[in-house]
Amino acid sequence: MKLAVTRNAPDTSLLGAGGQPSIRKNEAQTEILLTDGETAVIGGILVIDRGQTVTKVPFFADIPLIGWLFKSKTIREDKRELLIFITRGS
């Protein structure tokens, strides 16, 4: 059995000329041999989302030496792996 798995998702970090997001494609191709009733798992499509948010009080956050008291920075990193389970029927 030949398998081609594709995950397409909008990518807001890369915008087109009209402001629309581009499409991020993740693909995996494999060939497996299963008998009736057997299940196989395909992994390897890893999605990592990184982002940074800065929240600040206008004017006060820009004051040298004490500006850090009026702002905060949050960094996030989300990791997800897509697993596909395939069971061959009779």
Side-chain angles (χ1 to χ4, degrees):
M1 175 182 326
K2 293 182 181 180
L3 299 171
V5 181
T6 304
R7 180 185 182 272
N8 297 334
D11 184 3
T12 56
S13 66
L14 298 171
L15 299 179
Q20 66 274 28
S22 62
I23 302 296
R24 180 176 301 263
K25 294 178 75 172
N26 296 96
E27 298 177 346
Q29 295 182 2
T30 189
E31 191 170 331
I32 59 173
L33 181 62
L34 295 175
T35 59
D36 290 342
E38 282 187 327
T39 300
V41 180
I42 297 176
I45 297 181
L46 184 65
V47 179
I48 300 174
D49 290 325
R50 292 183 178 113
Q52 177 175 312
T53 305
V54 177
T55 307
K56 64 180 185 175
V57 178
F59 178 72
F60 293 108
D62 298 326
I63 298 173
L65 300 177
I66 63 166
W68 62 272
L69 292 170
F70 299 97
K71 62 184 168 184
S72 66
K73 180 172 30 171
T74 304
I75 299 173
R76 66 172 178 78
E77 181 174 291
D78 298 325
K79 294 181 182 179
R80 295 183 308 258
E81 184 174 7
L82 178 62
L83 297 175
I84 299 164
F85 293 82
I86 299 164
T87 302
R88 180 176 175 182
S90 55

